[in-house]
């Protein structure tokens, strides 16, 4: 078992342990004096894990209610958020009770935002069940919903009270969902951890379960350092966006269907590295990305992707902050005017 303390304004632990989902009630009981829990999940995770989570919470004295919504990004909507508020109201959740987000990034983001806003803030727990959620979205306190104007445009920073990460849950993931998370994992190696990157070069999508606890712990620890320095995403935290400017553009171009976030990040990292770093680094990144069955580029013309880049919410007026790794394990943030970014990418 690994326990990583995240020292943000409200410090909390990330517990990384195989089998922890089935004993989550013990962990939840250790961080709240309430014994009323509202579990929020989706209809895929419900079938796999809601029974175990509920059982463990009840064994530890919790009275539980649950709300289940359809799996998928379309559920990260204002309409679903409104239904979650109704559920919390009907469950008579008070400010001293606890909300449990059980699932992947969509569940974590919308439940976290409900927790940030309902009654002006209720404590919540993240039980991430996808690799992407375990290494990224469950840690760091970003919560959000999507609106017609764009993804994650409405949200709040709200740190969870504990994150319970069980690598055994990743065994039930379809390979493409595991690969989705590996896009972010490779990113962590590139931006901060050459040893992690070298480890990833020795495994592949079929064999990486053997090192999953180590992978998750390394990624969470990298995110810990970044988030502790820059919780509100005004500077250093931007390095977590390596590959994301083009990645988000690729996701947007595909209308967020049939093309995962991890695919976008992988292709985005490869494209920018090929253009702006040495051929040797670009080749190493490309072969690592291929090991995890992720794309190393795109056939979509840059002229079609660039309009999506200048819509990215991370841009500042007239400029784009892009991230480049000239060596493995080291990232730089570079701010350029939008036309200069276009010139670099089209060159
Ligand atoms: N997913 C990027 C961040 O948490 O800042």
């Amino acid at each position: 078992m690994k326990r990583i303390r995240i020292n943000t304004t409200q410090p909390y632990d990330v517990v990384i342990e195989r089998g922890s989902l089935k004993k989550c009630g013990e962990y939840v009981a250790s961080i709240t004096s309430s014994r009323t829990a509202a579990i929020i999940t989706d209809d895929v995770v419900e079938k796999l894990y809601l029974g175990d989570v509920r059982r463990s919470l009840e064994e530890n004295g919790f009275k539980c209610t649950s709300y289940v919504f359809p799996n998928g990004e379309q559920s990260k909507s204002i309409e679903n958020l409104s239904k979650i508020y109704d559920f919390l109201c009907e469950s008579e959740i008070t400010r001293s009770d606890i909300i449990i987000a059980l699932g992947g990034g969509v569940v974590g983001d919308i439940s976290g935002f409900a927790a940030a806003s309902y009654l002006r803030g209720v404590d919540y727990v993240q039980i991430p069940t996808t690799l992407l959620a375990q290494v990224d979205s469950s840690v760091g306190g970003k919560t959000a919903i999507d609106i017609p104007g764009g993804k994650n445009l409405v949200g709040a920073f709200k740190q969870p009270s504990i994150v319970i990460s069980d690598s055994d849950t990743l065994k039930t993931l379809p390979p493409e969902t595991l690969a989705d998370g590996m896009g972010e994992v490779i990113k962590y190696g590139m931006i901060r951890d050459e040893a992690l990157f070298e480890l990833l070069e020795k495994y592949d999508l079929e064999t990486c379960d053997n090192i999953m606890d180590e992978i998750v712990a390394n990624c969470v620890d990298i995110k810990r350092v970044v988030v502790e320095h820059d919780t509100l995403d005004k500077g250093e935290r931007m390095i977590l966006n390596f590959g994301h400017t083009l990645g988000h553009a690729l996701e947007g171009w595909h209308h967020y269907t049939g093309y995962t976030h991890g695919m976008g990040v992988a292709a985005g990292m490869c494209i920018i590295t090929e253009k702006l770093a040495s051929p040797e680094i670009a080749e190493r990144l490309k072969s690592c990305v291929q090991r995890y069955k992720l794309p190393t580029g795109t056939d979509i013309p840059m002229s079609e992707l660039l309009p999506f880049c200048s819509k990215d919410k991370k841009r500042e007026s007239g400029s784009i902050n892009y991230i480049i790794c000239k060596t493995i394990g080291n990232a730089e943030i570079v701010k350029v005017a939008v036309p200069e970014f276009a010139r670099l990418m089209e060159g």
Side-chain angles (χ1 to χ4, degrees):
M1 192 261 256
K2 293 197 169 78
R3 199 182 255 268
I4 298 175
R5 185 84 170 157
I6 315 282
N7 278 309
T8 49
T9 36
Q10 184 207 333
Y12 57 99
D13 287 345
V14 179
V15 172
I16 300 158
E17 181 185 21
R18 290 191 189 258
S20 53
L21 182 137
K22 286 194 174 140
K23 54 175 186 168
C24 63
E26 290 171 34
Y27 289 116
V28 179
S30 73
I31 53 89
T32 178
S33 53
S34 166
R35 288 297 175 265
T36 302
I39 309 167
I40 302 173
T41 191
D42 70 30
D43 57 359
V44 172
V45 179
E46 174 200 17
K47 291 179 189 68
L48 295 165
Y49 303 121
L50 180 58
D52 287 337
V53 166
R54 209 179 168 117
R55 198 168 308 113
S56 176
L57 285 163
E58 286 172 355
E59 278 168 11
N60 283 275
F62 285 88
K63 181 168 85 63
C64 299
T65 52
S66 54
Y67 173 76
V68 181
F69 60 77
N71 174 271
E73 188 71 30
Q74 75 288 346
S75 285
K76 231 170 92 176
S77 63
I78 202 142
E79 293 77 18
N80 193 28
L81 179 67
S82 173
K83 288 184 191 160
I84 291 175
Y85 292 144
D86 291 344
F87 155 70
L88 295 173
C89 208
E90 282 154 20
S91 304
E92 298 183 3
I93 293 299
T94 70
R95 220 185 251 172
S96 54
D97 294 326
I98 192 93
I99 293 172
I100 314 278
L102 168 67
V106 169
V107 171
D109 283 5
I110 194 167
S111 309
F113 187 52
S117 48
Y118 188 68
L119 303 179
R120 299 199 182 90
V122 178
D123 288 345
Y124 78 114
V125 169
Q126 290 268 17
I127 308 184
T129 57
T130 63
L131 180 58
L132 189 63
Q134 291 189 359
V135 298
D136 185 25
S137 55
S138 66
V139 180
K142 281 190 181 174
T143 73
I145 57 163
D146 305 334
I147 57 170
K151 267 183 77 168
N152 296 328
L153 287 194
V154 176
F157 287 98
K158 165 87 176 160
Q159 304 297 336
S161 298
I162 190 168
V163 181
I164 303 164
S165 225
D166 180 347
S167 310
D168 277 349
T169 61
L170 309 182
K171 289 183 173 161
T172 52
L173 294 179
E176 52 288 1
T177 312
L178 191 62
D180 181 22
M182 286 310 301
E184 289 285 350
V185 171
I186 296 168
K187 175 204 79 180
Y188 282 109
M190 285 295 290
I191 62 170
R192 273 290 163 89
D193 192 342
E194 189 173 13
L196 171 63
F197 190 87
E198 284 168 356
L199 184 69
L200 299 175
E201 286 177 309
K202 296 193 183 97
Y203 289 81
D204 58 28
L205 199 60
E206 278 77 40
T207 56
C208 62
D209 183 59
N210 297 323
I211 50 160
M212 205 42 96
D213 281 359
E214 198 177 341
I215 288 179
V216 175
N218 277 314
C219 295
V220 169
D221 203 45
I222 295 166
K223 187 151 187 187
R224 173 189 68 76
V225 174
V226 174
V227 164
E228 284 178 356
H229 289 167
D230 178 24
T231 307
L232 299 181
D233 199 12
K234 292 189 186 301
E236 181 184 340
R237 191 163 175 168
M238 276 189 254
I239 68 165
L240 297 176
N241 286 329
F242 178 45
H244 282 55
T245 304
L246 287 172
H248 285 152
L250 283 160
E251 284 183 86
W253 191 93
H254 286 93
H255 306 286
Y256 299 98
T257 41
Y259 194 91
T260 65
H261 179 68
M263 290 168 79
V265 171
M269 290 191 295
C270 289
I271 295 168
I272 203 155
T273 303
E274 193 163 27
K275 289 193 185 289
L276 302 176
S278 68
E280 181 205 335
I281 301 291
E283 197 41 53
R284 262 183 89 187
L285 173 61
K286 205 169 143 188
S287 34
C288 187
V289 159
Q290 279 166 338
R291 297 181 87 81
Y292 295 92
K293 302 199 166 35
L294 287 162
T296 58
T298 180
D299 293 334
I300 301 162
M302 202 47 78
S303 57
E304 290 185 30
L305 293 176
L306 286 169
F308 289 92
C309 296
S310 45
K311 275 196 222 151
D312 196 291
K313 75 174 185 304
K314 288 279 161 48
R315 79 194 187 287
E316 290 168 31
S317 159
S319 62
I320 283 183
N321 290 302
Y322 72 82
I323 317 301
I324 179 70
C325 299
K326 297 231 170 93
T327 56
I328 291 173
N330 294 292
E332 289 164 49
I333 304 168
V334 184
K335 183 174 174 171
V336 287
V338 173
E340 170 68 1
F341 182 76
R343 194 189 59 73
L344 288 171
M345 291 306 107
E346 279 171 329

